[in-house]
Amino acid sequence: MSTSRPRILVSNDDGYFSEGLQTLVEAVSPLGEVWVVAPDREQSAASHAISLHRPLRIKEVRERWFSVDGTPTDCSYLAVNHLLKDNRPQLMVSGINHGANLADDVMYSGTVAAAMEAAFLGIPAIAFSLVSRGPFDFKPAGRFARALVTEALSRPLPPRMLLNVNIPGGVEPDGYVITKQGRHSYGNKVVEKEDPRGRKYYWIGGTEYAHHDIPGSDCNAVFDEKRVSVTPMHFEMTDHGRIPELSGWNLQGFKQHGPGGGA
């Protein structure tokens, strides 16, 4: 059944019970009819994994609020193509993540993946993350989310729009910056340990954080300026600058053709 209020889909990667998701729901509930479809457990760093080799189960937690025993991508896919297929949402929002999704983080982030899947399916989407390692005060992030979603719903949006938003933790931001992806590193340390049976196991993912000083980047905005970063993203990953170089390669026994099968 259609409704005069815009339909807003909410998901995340921290689970349907998380404080960040509840804050985001509270922030956008006055703006439309909110549906929550989120993982039944934490799925941080799930990236864009999708479940193709096992069945998925959906549980209705309460009215318009569902948990899925799958990945963040599964949640967006099931929401758009099944639960809301007869009246697709006008906007999808993901988060608020417990931690940053800056720079290269977007390649691993389940929060961004949930939004990206919705955008793949033609639903404009925004991913929100709180840049903190705790304690987590989501109130400033919630206020920014409401302001951004209010503005987004007031205008026609391209169906594959994807915004990645990071809110600095521990401060009240005095504004926001439209940014590009930065570069950062958590270090490359691998911790090797041994279990009680003498078998080795490994922890990956370092803790030695550093970011590059790139003017206009999301990292600079959040860490150096203490402002919210709003980064528009797209799905084109072709390295166009590399094409001329590759065109000069000579593969013995194989003829190179132009795009579209030409010579």
Side-chain angles (χ1 to χ4, degrees), residues 5-238:
R5 305 184 73 208
R7 181 170 279 190
I8 303 170
L9 170 63
V10 182
S11 192
N12 73 346
D13 72 349
D14 290 313
Y16 72 95
F17 48 79
S18 75
E19 182 182 358
L21 182 136
Q22 294 180 51
T23 300
L24 186 54
V25 169
E26 291 170 7
V28 303
S29 286
L31 309 178
E33 181 190 89
V34 173
W35 289 69
V36 175
V37 185
D40 66 353
R41 69 201 70 183
E42 184 178 345
Q43 294 278 351
S44 296
S47 188
H48 211 100
I50 190 167
S51 301
L52 299 178
H53 302 292
R54 70 173 183 88
L56 294 166
R57 300 188 186 276
I58 302 173
K59 179 180 178 181
E60 186 169 5
V61 178
R62 57 178 180 265
E63 185 181 9
R64 300 200 305 270
W65 199 301
F66 300 85
S67 69
V68 176
D69 67 339
T71 68
T73 298
D74 294 333
C75 293
S76 291
Y77 189 96
L78 286 172
V80 174
N81 291 325
H82 178 64
L83 292 169
L84 304 178
K85 65 180 180 180
D86 295 326
N87 185 13
R88 288 158 63 95
Q90 281 71 57
L91 183 70
M92 186 274 183
V93 291
S94 180
I96 300 168
N97 190 61
H98 292 64
N101 278 308
L102 295 159
D104 302 334
D105 293 340
V106 300
M107 301 301 294
Y108 307 99
S109 168
T111 303
V112 175
M116 186 178 291
E117 181 65 18
F120 277 162
L121 299 173
I123 309 298
I126 308 173
F128 293 95
S129 300
L130 179 62
V131 183
S132 175
R133 294 192 175 209
F136 294 97
D137 178 7
F138 288 98
K139 292 189 290 294
R143 287 192 288 272
F144 185 83
R146 180 177 294 182
L148 182 57
V149 170
T150 298
E151 178 65 17
L153 291 172
S154 74
R155 59 183 63 242
L157 299 174
R160 286 166 67 90
M161 182 193 82
L162 175 61
L163 303 180
N164 183 38
V165 177
N166 282 271
I167 303 97
V171 297
E172 189 70 46
D174 69 353
Y176 66 97
V177 184
I178 308 301
T179 56
K180 59 187 176 183
Q181 275 184 268
R183 291 186 62 196
H184 66 185
S185 170
Y186 294 106
N188 301 308
K189 188 175 181 180
V190 176
V191 177
E192 180 183 272
K193 290 186 176 294
E194 194 171 278
D195 68 18
R197 297 183 179 179
R199 296 174 301 188
K200 292 181 179 179
Y201 64 93
Y202 302 87
W203 283 100
I204 64 173
T207 58
E208 301 171 2
Y209 181 84
H211 71 267
H212 295 241
D213 181 9
I214 302 175
S217 70
D218 51 7
C219 296
N220 279 32
V222 171
F223 290 117
D224 300 340
E225 302 167 24
K226 304 301 181 184
R227 293 182 175 131
V228 178
S229 70
V230 180
T231 308
M233 305 184 71
H234 60 67
F235 314 120
E236 168 63 74
M237 297 182 70
T238 304

